[in-house]
Amino acid sequence: MKAHRIATTPLLATLWLALQPALLQGACATPVRSVLDMDLEELGDIQITSVSKHSQRLADAAASVFVIRAEDIHRAGARSLPEALRLAPNLQVARITNSQYAISARGFNGFRNNKLLVQIDGRGVYSPSSSVVFWEQQMVLMEDIERIEVISGPGGTLWGLNAVNGIINVITRSAQQTRGTLVHAAAATDASSVEVRHGFGAAQDTASEGAAWRLNAQSVAWNNSRTLGGRTVEDATTQQQIGFRVDGPDGRDQWSVVGQAFKVSAGQPPPGFFVRRSAPSDIQTSGLNLVGQWQRPVGDGGQLQWQFYLDSIERELPNTLTDQTDKLDLQVLHSFTPVAEHRLTWGGEFRLVRNEVRTSGAMVYVPEAATQHWLSAFAQDEWAMTPTLRLTLGSRIETNPYTQAEWLPNVRVAWTPAESQLIWAAASKAARSPSRVDVDLRFPAKPPYLLSGDDGFRTEKARATELGYRGQLSDRLSLAATLFYNHYDQLLTVERGPSGNHFTNKRFGDTYGAEWWAVYQPAPSWRVSAGWSGLKKKLKLEPGVVDLNLVAPNGGNDSDSQWRASLSHDFSEQWSIDGTVRHVSKLPASTVAAYTVADLRLAYAPHAGLEIALAGTNLLAGRHEEYTLTNVVNPSATVSPQVGLSLSLRY
């Protein structure tokens, strides 16, 4: 399947015209519920799926999981997925340019962060050719997100290879929840955007048998960044996308189909060795994706679920390379209760990927095109040993195109000593499989190589131990905390060989740390939250090894600690305010100093369906860097204080 260039403006116009008949029907929009309408007990009752692959209460999840809800995203005024992820205290989010980010959990942060699994409605967004999540491609209407489940820690048993240090699972709302029309427009000193969505069909609270639909369109333009000295960095970016979602009736069988087409033009190529600095800098990316899900309840609380997705992306770096990736993924999952007190979840996944990298000749992939497949099977048993003690045992076997089958086991124990109190512990194994850049890359095209892949590159492996607590200490205070220790083997290094520099696996070592977050609600109209995470790394090289890796020296570039504190208050039904202060310690492998910034948003809703908001972001610190790489030739982009105004209309 070939990714197609998208004539965005005609498509937006066509979509708008198509919406007109539905607009005339006067469908009523679904309002956004205030997060302050929920007490702490209700927050613990939020249903999540990422920890066990079936619905369970957040309060019962034996993992370090933070849930970013739709209301949190709305009140923060997040304009993109990376900005929304800043709300999670167990993630480190750093901007490289205005379109590219370094995002990680528990270390190894960098542009090429390959140990964090990211999914949007079940579709994996990890690039198989370069081991990167290109964040500018991950376009989602913020108002369509139901929740983002952020797990820090391994999840290889249920999610497979690359779920080493964390999982980000973005889940959008069903079409039944988004009936009516939404128009959102925003203008700030660094960007402007317009979003349109219309949903029609059966509402979630009706007995109608029909399906529900929604259509959406989005256009975002980011301005150029500047250096610390005030010079312009040519990283202006434009993003456009159109999409749809259809959900089946709320009956025995539930199904959904989600589709999207997008186009991105991003200035300032990500830092690296391969970009001709005299060439045009705009990276052109276009893509199509389609996700289908079907599930049916079986037996006593069991479930059968099928999923497929198709994904086609073309990414072009002018005068450097064109990367075309077509992906097909099929998954099946079955959960049931074979005997009393046991819940068994098992399933399998097959993924077929065709990747072709056409280069300018300065670098090559050998071979230029490759067709690869992954195959895996997993099983996990949740055993309620006593009313207060649960044991979870699971394992996954997964094959990949480069190495032998990987075995990814997991054991978790959860103890509930009292109501609303949970103590849990876990031991897991996870792995990061090689990608084409690790094996097939050659730069320059002939030896001696400045950098090349290696056929002998092995999987990077991690063994993790965790101890956690989650509980409601009082009617007004809840707390979650986790201690973790990870041991890593066969981490990526770059060594000099007979043909030049090549990738090897000669680094090993340990990381350990802690993370916690708490919510305090002194009154129904007030909420205060805070979170902190700390990380220590002790990584070593095998004897006699000199690591020439300039992209991620010493296994990434991570701050030792970061914290955030937020306050939300509703003055009345019309007026609300939200403020956040966050601090990140200095990055040891670059010149990025510690910084403390504040975000502030004031919103006014004169009547139902209309909201006007004034927001200031990155206040207090002035112009500052969040991330740089040691090999950057271009000037480093910075983050500076910004002010913006937004208007949301629902009807």
Side-chain angles (χ1 to χ4, degrees), residues 125-158:
V125 299
Y126 180 87
S127 169
S129 64
S130 52
S131 298
V132 172
V133 174
F134 295 108
W135 288 102
E136 76 275 16
Q137 299 175 14
Q138 317 314 324
M139 296 189 65
V140 185
L141 261 68
M142 294 295 99
E143 296 285 352
D144 283 352
I145 296 175
E146 178 180 313
R147 66 186 185 275
I148 304 174
E149 299 176 6
V150 179
I151 298 176
S152 46
T157 295
L158 292 178

Side-chain angles (χ1 to χ4, degrees), residues 75-96:
R75 294 187 66 125
R79 301 169 296 176
S80 65
L81 192 53
E83 288 190 354
L85 294 176
R86 290 192 190 275
L87 300 174
N90 54 342
L91 287 180
Q92 184 175 136
V93 179
R95 201 181 84 164
I96 301 174

Side-chain angles (χ1 to χ4, degrees), residues 557-569:
N557 199 1
D558 308 293
S559 64
D560 289 338
S561 66
Q562 62 177 20
W563 58 262
R564 60 178 290 119
S566 301
L567 181 146
S568 296
H569 176 53

Side-chain angles (χ1 to χ4, degrees), residues 258-577:
V258 183
Q260 182 195 50
F262 70 88
K263 181 178 180 180
V264 178
S265 178
Q268 183 66 24
F273 292 101
F274 315 125
V275 178
R276 292 182 179 180
R277 300 299 169 175
S278 61
S281 61
D282 285 2
I283 303 173
Q284 304 294 331
T285 308
S286 59
L288 305 166
N289 56 71
L290 185 70
V291 183
Q293 295 180 338
W294 171 88
Q295 61 184 33
R296 167 179 289 183
V298 292
D300 184 15
Q303 185 180 84
L304 179 64
Q305 179 175 314
W306 289 83
Q307 175 184 285
F308 79 89
Y309 70 80
L310 300 169
D311 201 354
S312 182
I313 297 176
E314 183 179 86
R315 181 179 178 87
E316 179 185 356
L317 279 67
N319 302 308
T320 305
L321 63 83
T322 299
D323 184 339
Q324 172 73 47
T325 301
D326 302 313
K327 188 185 305 181
L328 167 66
D329 187 278
L330 303 172
Q331 300 178 38
V332 61
L333 180 145
H334 181 213
S335 63
F336 64 105
T337 304
V339 295
E341 314 304 336
H342 287 263
R343 184 185 181 104
L344 181 64
T345 302
W346 68 280
E349 180 177 4
F350 171 77
R351 182 180 304 156
L352 179 67
V353 176
R354 175 172 171 76
N355 176 247
E356 181 178 0
V357 182
R358 303 182 296 275
T359 67
S360 63
M363 57 172 287
V364 295
Y365 275 64
V366 181
E368 183 178 83
T371 300
Q372 303 172 329
H373 67 269
W374 285 256
L375 184 64
S376 64
F378 70 91
Q380 180 166 284
D381 180 37
E382 298 173 67
W383 178 18
M385 302 176 66
T386 72
T388 61
L389 187 65
R390 290 180 289 121
L391 174 65
T392 300
L393 297 171
S395 184
R396 187 183 192 103
I397 300 294
E398 181 162 339
T399 64
N400 66 81
Y402 299 105
T403 63
Q404 62 185 359
E406 297 293 340
W407 177 53
L408 308 174
N410 168 65
V411 57
R412 293 179 183 271
V413 179
W415 176 45
T416 309
E419 186 177 359
S420 301
Q421 309 290 322
L422 177 70
I423 298 173
W424 60 273
S428 312
K429 178 185 174 184
R432 197 278 291 187
S433 69
S435 66
R436 292 202 66 199
V437 73
D438 300 311
V439 177
D440 299 338
L441 173 68
R442 305 289 186 270
F443 174 71
K446 296 180 180 180
Y449 300 120
L450 179 61
L451 193 62
S452 75
D454 193 300
D455 291 339
F457 193 85
R458 296 169 289 171
T459 55
E460 298 181 308
K461 298 183 179 181
R463 291 172 174 83
T465 305
E466 302 171 274
L467 176 64
Y469 167 83
R470 180 182 295 107
Q472 190 171 329
L473 303 180
S474 70
D475 292 342
R476 297 182 177 183
L477 179 64
S478 66
L479 173 69
T482 305
L483 301 174
F484 62 88
Y485 170 81
N486 294 349
H487 177 75
Y488 296 89
D489 282 314
Q490 302 176 179
L491 294 176
L492 180 146
T493 48
V494 178
E495 289 190 271
R496 191 177 305 280
S499 299
N501 301 336
H502 64 110
F503 290 124
T504 56
N505 303 82
K506 301 295 183 66
R507 189 181 293 278
F508 65 96
D510 307 313
T511 66
Y512 58 93
E515 53 201 21
W516 64 262
W517 49 87
V519 179
Y520 176 61
Q521 190 160 6
S525 62
W526 289 88
R527 179 162 296 164
V528 180
S529 61
W532 176 89
S533 64
L535 174 73
K536 294 294 183 182
K537 294 193 300 185
K538 293 184 177 180
L539 303 180
K540 302 177 182 179
L541 294 169
E542 293 182 8
V545 173
V546 176
D547 187 10
L548 303 175
N549 184 5
L550 297 180
V551 176
N554 197 34
N557 199 1
D558 308 293
S559 64
D560 289 338
S561 66
Q562 62 177 20
W563 58 262
R564 60 178 290 119
S566 301
L567 181 146
S568 296
H569 176 53
D570 289 340
F571 296 103
S572 65
E573 292 185 0
Q574 289 78 35
W575 289 93
S576 64
I577 190 169

Side-chain angles (χ1 to χ4, degrees), residues 32 69-71 73-74 78 120-121 139-148 170-175 177-182 184 195-199 214-218 241-245 258-260 650:
V32 175
R69 287 180 48 83
E71 293 81 0
I73 297 171
H74 177 80
I120 301 175
D121 284 328
M139 296 189 65
V140 185
L141 261 68
M142 294 295 99
E143 296 285 352
D144 283 352
I145 296 175
E146 178 180 313
R147 66 186 185 275
I148 304 174
V170 181
I171 301 166
T172 64
R173 296 176 176 180
S174 70
Q177 296 175 297
T178 54
R179 294 177 70 245
T181 299
L182 166 71
H184 178 83
E195 302 171 352
V196 180
R197 182 193 70 206
H198 182 72
R214 73 163 172 257
L215 301 173
N216 64 72
Q218 180 183 26
Q241 68 98 6
I242 60 173
F244 75 92
R245 175 166 177 147
V258 183
Q260 182 195 50
R650 304 169 187 269

